[in-house]
Amino acid sequence: MSQKTNPLTRGKKQKALALLQHNQPAAAIPLLEQVCHTDRRDIEAWFQLAAARQELGAFAPAAEAYRQVIALDQDHAEAHFYLGNTCLALGDGPGAVAAFREAIRRRPEHQQARLNLGALYELQRNFPAAEECFHEALRREPLNPELHYNLGSVLHAQGKYADAVESYRHALRLRPAHADTYNNCGSSLAQLERYDESLACYQQALRISPRLTAAYNNMGNTLVRMRRVQEAIATYEQALQIEPDYAETLTNLGNTKQRQLGKIDEGIAYHRRAIECDPMYADAHHNLAFCLLLKGEFREGWQEYDWRWKREGGMRRPLPPTSWDGADLNGRQVFIHAEQGIGDELFFLRFLPLLKSRGAGRIVYRATAKIAPLLARVTGIDRLAGPDERPAPTDSVCAVGDLPRLLGMASPDDVPPAIALAPLPETLAGMRHTLAAYGAPPYIGVTWRAGVKGNDLVLHKESPLENLAQLLRDIPGTILVLQRLPHEGELRTFQDTVGRPAHDLTGLNDNLEAMLALLSLIDEYVGVSNTNMHLRAGVGKTARVLVPTSPEWRWMAEGKESPWFPGFGVYRQGYDGSWEEAFDMLTADLQQAHGH
C-alpha cells in the first residue's frame, strides 16, 4: 500500500527507492529515515526502511519499522509476514508465530507465511500444528512437491510413518529426481521395518546424488537393524570418506562397534571423534557416557551422562537445577525431582544416604505419581512433594539421576546398595493366599520384554519367549507371567511351550503395591531388566537377568554379576545374536538351585 508523501520529502523518497532498485540499501536507509521522521504516516517509506534494514541484518530496527507499518495499517499482510522473519532472526519464536498467523489471517492465500509458520512449528517440535499448516497449504496448492515433502517430515516426527511414506511418494511423483525425498522416505520405511524398500530408496537417492552422506548414514542405520553389521560399517565408512567430520556417522559407527560387536574401546574412540567435530552434539556425548558407564569409568561417565538433557527430542528438565556442585550442604534442604521411568527413580534413589552424609538437611522428593505411595515409606525421604510443587528459593535442586555426578561417584567400589522398600503387611498377607491358590512353591516369575522397540531414546530389551518357556519345562514350580502389556497370543504361546499352567499376573504392573508384595515372596524372578528388577532389589531379593546385546550400562559390559545388583545372575546374549549359551547357563543354575 502506498501513500502520498510530503512534497518536501518526495525527492528523497524517490532517490531512496531508486537506490533500492540498484541494490544499495545502505545508501537508501538515511534518506528513508529522514522521510519517515518528516512524515510518520508514510506507510511505504516505513516498509521500505524496514526491508532495507532487514537486508543489512539490522533485525531489531527492521522489526521496529515493520511494527510502525502495522500500527498505520493493521491489514498490511506483508508487514506481518516480514516481521515474522525478523522475529525469527532475533530468536523470538513466539513473536514470529504471532506475526505469521496475523499475515495469514489478513491474507488467507499467503502461502509463504503458512509455509514459514509450518516450518517454525516443526522447529519448535509442535508437530501437530506444523502438520495442520502443511495440510492447509496442500489444500490450496496440491501439486507442490515441497509441501508434500514438508508434510512427510512432520508426519515422520510424530511416528506416523506410513502416512509419511505416502507424502514422500506424492512428492516424488511430482519431483522424481529429488535425492533428499528418497532419503527421508527410506527412513520412514525403515521405521515400518520395510527394510528392503528402505534400502532401495537410499540407493536411488545416491544414484541422484552420489555424495549425499545422509543417505549413506541412514543406509548404515537400516543395515544395522537388519543385522548386516559388516555392510553397515562399510556404508558408514563410505560416508566418512566423503565427509570425514560427519559427527552423526562417527557416533553411529561408534554405536555399531560397541553395541553390535562389543568393541567398547573402539566405540569410545568414534564418539570422541564425533565430539571433536561437533562439541555440542548431545547424542555423541550421551553415547560416550553409555560406553564409559558400561566399563565402570564412572567419574567421566556421569559427567557425560548430563548431556541426556540436551538430546534432540529427548528429556527436558522439569525444573532448573541450582548451582550446587556437590559441596557440603550445611543443612540446606534438597529438592529432588523424578526423571525417566519408574525403574530409574528406584535405581538412583540409592544415593540418598550419601546425600545425607554430604550435609543435606531435609530431602524433599517429587516422585512419579504411580510410585509415590511406595516411596512415602522410604527412609531417607523426609517429605514427598506434590506433583506440581515447586522448590523453595533456598533449596538445592537437582534431578534424581544427577546424584551420582554431584556426589562424585568414581568407581564400582562407590556403588551404594539399592534403596530398601517395604511391602504393606495387608497386601503381603493377601498375596500369600493368592500364591497358595495357584500352586506349590517354588514360585517363578517371568518377563521377556521391556522398553520401546524402534525408539532410539528408550532402550529395547527382549529375549525369545519360546526359548524361555522351553527351558522352564523341566524346572519344578509354579510359573507366574509378569510381562507388562504382552502381545496378543503371547500368553497362550508361553503356556503351550512350558507345558503346564502359566498364571497371568500381568495386570500387577499397574498395581505396584501388589507387585512389590509378590516380588518379595516368590522364589525366582527371571527376565529382562525392567521396573520389577528394581522392586526385587528393593525387597532384598535377587533375580536372574537376561541381558540382550547391547547390554544396558547397569549390567556392565561383561561378567556374571553387576556391582549395581549384587547376587543377581546375569545371562548375556552373544554378539552373534545367539541366546544358546546364556540359556544353557540359566538352565544349569535353576536346576542346581531347585535340586533337579
Side-chain angles (χ1 to χ4, degrees):
M1 180 176 179
S2 63
Q3 270 190 331
K4 292 182 179 179
T5 60
N6 186 301
L8 296 175
T9 59
R10 185 178 296 117
K12 290 180 181 179
K13 180 176 176 180
Q14 289 174 342
K15 185 176 179 180
L17 294 177
L19 288 168
L20 291 175
Q21 286 182 340
H22 289 86
N23 197 29
Q24 298 181 51
I29 285 174
L31 296 171
L32 290 168
E33 287 175 339
Q34 292 176 41
V35 173
C36 292
H37 180 74
T38 303
D39 186 355
R40 300 194 63 83
R41 299 192 61 79
D42 191 326
I43 294 173
E44 183 182 22
W46 279 112
F47 185 79
Q48 295 297 340
L49 175 61
R53 287 171 171 175
Q54 182 178 2
E55 187 174 346
L56 293 177
F59 298 115
E64 181 184 345
Y66 284 128
R67 290 190 176 99
Q68 182 64 29
V69 174
I70 292 165
L72 295 168
D73 180 5
Q74 293 185 3
D75 289 329
H76 200 301
E78 288 301 291
H80 287 290
F81 170 67
Y82 285 109
L83 175 60
N85 289 341
T86 57
C87 286
L88 266 183
L90 291 166
D92 178 10
V97 167
F100 290 139
R101 288 174 64 89
E102 278 299 306
I104 295 165
R105 189 165 77 87
R106 307 291 175 176
R107 195 198 303 165
E109 69 275 12
H110 202 313
Q111 283 287 77
Q112 193 58 53
R114 189 171 281 108
L115 289 178
N116 286 14
L117 180 60
L120 178 54
Y121 279 140
E122 184 177 3
L123 189 66
Q124 295 174 337
R125 307 191 67 79
N126 186 351
F127 299 119
E131 180 184 348
E132 183 180 347
C133 278
F134 294 136
H135 271 304
E136 176 59 23
L138 277 166
R139 188 182 68 80
R140 296 170 177 275
E141 199 176 348
L143 299 181
N144 186 326
E146 191 68 20
L147 288 175
H148 288 287
Y149 175 84
N150 291 342
L151 178 59
S153 178
V154 297
L155 289 168
H156 180 100
Q158 295 175 85
K160 300 177 180 180
Y161 303 120
D163 291 338
V165 169
E166 184 178 349
S167 289
Y168 287 133
R169 286 184 166 160
H170 270 301
L172 289 168
R173 282 192 287 271
L174 296 165
R175 185 173 56 182
H178 195 259
D180 287 339
T181 306
Y182 276 108
N183 179 42
N184 288 6
C185 188
S187 294
S188 296
L189 287 163
Q191 292 294 335
L192 294 168
E193 299 185 5
R194 291 158 60 179
Y195 297 131
D196 290 335
E197 293 176 74
S198 173
L199 291 179
C201 278
Y202 299 136
Q203 288 159 356
Q204 182 61 27
L206 289 167
R207 278 192 284 271
I208 296 166
S209 181
R211 297 182 64 81
L212 185 61
T213 50
Y216 281 113
N217 180 70
N218 291 340
M219 184 185 294
N221 295 343
T222 298
L223 289 166
V224 168
R225 291 186 175 207
M226 299 172 77
R227 302 194 66 84
R228 291 161 58 176
V229 175
Q230 294 304 326
E231 291 177 71
I233 290 172
T235 303
Y236 290 137
E237 289 172 345
Q238 282 181 282
L240 293 173
Q241 286 175 9
I242 298 167
E243 192 175 344
D245 295 340
Y246 192 6
E248 185 176 346
T249 295
L250 285 166
T251 202
N252 285 344
L253 183 51
N255 282 342
T256 303
K257 294 280 189 175
Q258 176 255 310
R259 296 180 183 179
Q260 307 300 323
L261 302 176
K263 297 180 177 181
I264 299 176
D265 290 334
E266 289 188 38
I268 288 173
Y270 278 110
H271 298 320
R272 292 196 192 282
R273 277 184 59 192
I275 292 166
E276 287 174 7
C277 297
D278 183 356
M280 300 305 295
Y281 186 25
D283 277 1
H285 285 281
H286 187 267
N287 293 337
L288 176 59
F290 193 101
C291 291
L292 293 169
L293 295 174
L294 264 177
K295 291 188 68 178
E297 296 179 13
F298 291 129
R299 187 179 298 280
E300 184 185 3
W302 293 123
Q303 295 296 326
E304 295 293 333
Y305 188 67
D306 197 43
W307 283 82
R308 68 197 183 280
W309 301 109
K310 303 177 181 70
R311 299 180 72 194
E312 184 178 352
M315 299 181 299
R316 294 293 177 264
R317 283 188 183 271
L319 295 171
T322 55
S323 59
W324 177 55
D325 60 0
D328 193 287
L329 287 154
N330 295 314
R332 191 182 315 132
Q333 178 166 288
V334 181
F335 190 104
I336 306 171
H337 62 80
E339 62 164 288
Q340 302 183 66
I342 289 172
D344 295 284
E345 287 186 71
L346 294 170
F347 178 83
F348 286 113
L349 283 171
R350 67 179 65 211
F351 287 91
L352 291 186
L354 292 176
L355 191 60
K356 283 288 189 182
S357 71
R358 197 62 61 87
R362 286 171 57 80
I363 293 178
V364 178
Y365 183 61
R366 197 172 82 177
T368 301
K370 186 176 179 180
I371 199 143
L374 274 66
L375 298 182
R377 307 191 295 275
V378 165
T379 302
I381 298 176
D382 295 296
R383 182 173 69 82
L384 286 178
D388 299 314
E389 183 176 336
R390 311 287 294 185
T394 56
D395 288 353
S396 290
V397 182
C398 67
V400 67
D402 293 333
L403 290 175
R405 173 179 57 83
L406 292 169
L407 293 167
M409 184 193 177
S411 79
D413 294 335
D414 301 331
V415 172
I419 191 167
L421 301 170
L424 292 170
E426 59 271 25
T427 309
L428 205 57
M431 191 57 66
R432 284 196 179 97
H433 288 297
T434 298
L435 288 176
Y438 284 142
Y443 299 109
I444 304 172
V446 294
T447 61
W448 50 84
R449 184 176 51 254
V452 182
K453 192 172 184 180
N455 184 340
D456 293 336
L457 299 175
V458 182
L459 194 62
H460 177 72
K461 296 151 282 189
E462 188 165 0
S463 64
L465 173 158
E466 291 184 65
N467 296 45
L468 179 59
Q470 184 65 42
L471 75 85
L472 291 172
R473 286 181 68 94
D474 298 326
I475 306 298
T478 300
I479 307 261
L480 312 169
V481 176
L482 307 183
Q483 175 61 49
R484 183 175 183 271
L485 300 176
H487 296 166
E488 184 178 355
E490 283 189 326
L491 295 178
R492 171 58 60 188
T493 298
F494 187 92
Q495 183 160 292
D496 289 347
T497 306
V498 81
R500 64 183 189 275
H503 302 282
D504 179 5
L505 292 177
T506 58
L508 293 189
N509 289 285
D510 294 321
N511 183 348
L512 293 184
E513 290 284 11
M515 182 64 82
L516 184 69
L518 175 73
L519 291 168
S520 73
L521 294 173
I522 62 177
D523 303 279
E524 293 280 1
Y525 182 44
V526 181
V528 296
S529 178
N530 62 1
T531 297
N532 292 343
M533 290 294 175
H534 300 282
L535 294 173
R536 182 80 168 165
V539 295
K541 297 293 184 73
T542 60
R544 304 184 190 275
V545 190
L546 298 165
V547 177
T549 54
S550 136
E552 188 180 3
W553 56 260
R554 290 175 179 84
W555 304 104
M556 310 303 287
E558 56 188 13
K560 277 276 290 177
E561 195 171 297
S562 164
W564 296 103
F565 294 90
F568 281 54
V570 176
Y571 304 87
R572 301 178 183 275
Q573 181 187 23
Y575 280 98
D576 62 355
S578 170
W579 283 95
E580 185 175 355
E581 183 177 347
F583 281 168
D584 285 347
M585 292 172 59
L586 176 58
T587 301
D589 289 350
L590 286 171
Q591 289 175 345
Q592 182 179 17
H594 298 287
H596 183 73

